[in-house]
Amino acid sequence: MAARVLVAAMALPLRFVREYVRASDLAVAAAVLFACSAARSRLTSRRGAPMLWPVVGVLPALFAHLGDVYDWGAAALARSGGTFPYRGAWGGGSSGVITSVPANVEHVLKTNFANYPKGPYYRERFAELLGAGIFNADGEAWRAQRSAAAAEMHSARFLEFSAGTVRRLVDGGLVPLLDALSRRREGGGAVAVDLQDVLLRFAFDNICAAALGVDPGCLAEGLPDVPFARAFERATELSLARFVTPPFVWKAKRRLRVGGERELAEAARAVRDFAGRTVADRRAELREAGTLAGRCDLLSRLMTASPPPPDAAPEGYSDEFLRDICVSFILAGRDTSSVALTWFFWLLASHPDVESRVLDDVARAAGGGRTATTMDYLHAALTESMRLYPPVPADFKEALEDDVLPDGTAVRARQRVIYFTYAMGRDKASWGPDCLEFRPERWLNKSGAFAGGAESPFKYVVFNAGPRLCVGKRFAYTQMKTVAAAVLARFRVEVVPGQEVKPKLNTTLYMKNGLMVRFASREQRHELRHHVPAAGED
């Protein structure tokens, strides 16, 4: 009886709509509602901030500026006072604020650190590739890995070993490759090569040697295709695609194992299987020989850590723990320093005065018997390059509870705070009216020594800041300074004219089209008369 009454009650309004309401009426009503909602959003939004449209949020503005999204975002932040809210499409679950205010960044990364973990939004998108690795972990899992990694990577033995791996790969792989390229001729000149690809290959070989103690051979003659490197690159790209794909789409594809999600699962499995086999082989070597005394890579040092960690099994860290932390370090070490060096060489090509001072710095270090760690001008030039072109242009944290940022911006629980590193490096309030100029001198004191330590780490967050400050910062500078000194002392890096150089929309600031260059043997290189120093070399 009750069911029949309910059906009858519903039938009357449905009949009314069918007889008296036309589709055009509904369309007009929807358009008016949309316009009113848009007007309200415009009137209540922060001055200078991008428009947040009904239903689609900030997406129209993003799509309109896909070709220059980083500069557009920096300009929008400058107009809006350094912070503005954002919202994605309905159903996407993405909302929060974007900021370039150093005080806000310090609040998130240090002052109220406990309220801003990576969060599930980030973790689930990298789950297949990184597992519970350090860059995908929060809480106690992150603290345990951070403590273990810092203890080993800051040890004297690992620092000596990692500096040695860079020198060997530069002298035995990179320099011979560039020398061969400089001698090959194409159309009357030296053959052109994508510098970004060469440096990515170098960085991959280097980080695999430092983290796993293996050589993938990416810099071998002919620049061969390496299955592990290819799988790693593809798994990274497909994991990042999840950040711009609605969750209901990629999660459905993952459940059905179709399209990019099926490819991601296969690529991530190949990466984790390779790392897992390396861990298993090293464990077997340890059982058989009783020691790994001849090995100083991160995996071997963690495997033989003494005393064992409090929560570990009697044999030390689990194989899964070792696999995940090593894969995480390969991800961090492959892209960042290689991308930073690519932008650095490009900037030098258009600033011959800076290149000349860098060459003088390298020559003095070689001729005076000093270590390359004293190449302060080179250090400043690399730091300045990363200010303008940070390897990671933006990062974010997710709020656990409601909060208010120092500039008064409210953040609700589960919202994200995106700190826009690219914009922070181009902020006049932080760097002065010449903030867009490439001027390494801003990092030197009056005596010419590097004085970057005096700057707040929360306005230069290239290596993150606070408790999550990059544990590989010293390793990265060692690698970059060694490569830059060796290459510039031996070769002129000539950028092929006519190519479009612009950032790629990605979590790492790749050059969208790579960077085609030619290498010419530097005629005056004999004038150095000394071994070109490597960073950290005694």
Side-chain angles (χ1 to χ4, degrees), residues 166-227:
V166 178
R167 289 197 300 271
R168 285 190 293 273
L169 189 58
V170 166
D171 294 339
L174 184 62
V175 168
L177 170 66
L178 301 187
D179 190 54
L181 290 172
S182 70
R183 296 173 186 276
R184 286 173 54 192
R185 289 292 177 262
E186 178 182 75
V191 65
V193 65
D194 182 359
L195 179 61
Q196 183 169 257
D197 176 62
V198 170
L199 291 173
L200 280 167
R201 287 171 173 272
F202 169 86
F204 193 79
D205 279 359
N206 189 209
I207 194 62
C208 284
L212 294 175
V214 298
D215 178 14
C218 294
L219 273 183
E221 185 178 355
L223 300 178
D225 175 60
V226 177

Side-chain angles (χ1 to χ4, degrees), residues 5 48 216 272:
V5 172
R272 291 163 71 80

Side-chain angles (χ1 to χ4, degrees), residues 138-334:
D138 283 319
E140 289 304 319
W142 167 76
R143 273 185 283 273
Q145 294 187 63
R146 169 85 185 191
S147 176
E152 299 305 331
M153 292 190 71
H154 295 162
S155 68
R157 288 194 64 188
F158 181 80
L159 290 172
E160 181 182 2
F161 166 77
S162 59
T165 64
V166 178
R167 289 197 300 271
R168 285 190 293 273
L169 189 58
V170 166
D171 294 339
L174 184 62
V175 168
L177 170 66
L178 301 187
D179 190 54
L181 290 172
S182 70
R183 296 173 186 276
R184 286 173 54 192
R185 289 292 177 262
E186 178 182 75
V191 65
V193 65
D194 182 359
L195 179 61
Q196 183 169 257
D197 176 62
V198 170
L199 291 173
L200 280 167
R201 287 171 173 272
F202 169 86
F204 193 79
D205 279 359
N206 189 209
I207 194 62
C208 284
L212 294 175
V214 298
D215 178 14
C218 294
L219 273 183
E221 185 178 355
L223 300 178
D225 175 60
V226 177
F228 175 50
R230 177 167 27 89
F232 201 99
E233 182 171 1
R234 193 62 182 142
T236 303
E237 290 176 349
L238 292 168
S239 295
L240 296 175
R242 290 176 168 179
F243 286 91
V244 294
T245 305
F248 67 87
V249 174
W250 69 260
K251 287 183 179 181
K253 293 170 68 177
R254 180 178 63 180
R255 181 176 293 274
L256 297 172
R257 293 185 60 80
V258 296
E261 286 297 314
R262 177 181 59 80
E263 191 178 352
L264 170 59
E266 293 172 352
R269 184 169 57 250
V271 170
R272 291 163 71 80
D273 284 351
F274 179 90
R277 287 195 302 273
T278 303
V279 171
D281 291 346
R282 196 68 46 80
R283 187 79 77 183
E285 181 181 339
L286 177 60
R287 283 195 298 266
E288 186 174 319
T291 180
L292 293 176
R295 294 184 177 273
C296 293
D297 55 89
L298 181 61
L299 169 61
S300 297
R301 291 191 60 80
L302 287 171
M303 192 174 285
T304 56
S306 180
D311 299 328
E315 66 274 15
Y317 295 110
S318 70
D319 287 359
E320 184 178 23
F321 177 98
L322 295 171
R323 178 198 64 198
D324 288 349
I325 195 172
C326 288
V327 169
S328 290
F329 273 99
I330 292 172
L331 175 66
R334 172 188 179 266

Side-chain angles (χ1 to χ4, degrees), residues 439-461:
R439 193 171 65 83
E441 289 76 14
R442 76 176 75 241
W443 296 94
L444 303 174
N445 61 20
K446 291 181 179 179
S447 64
F450 183 76
E455 294 286 3
S456 166
F458 301 102
K459 80 172 191 179
Y460 185 82
V461 287

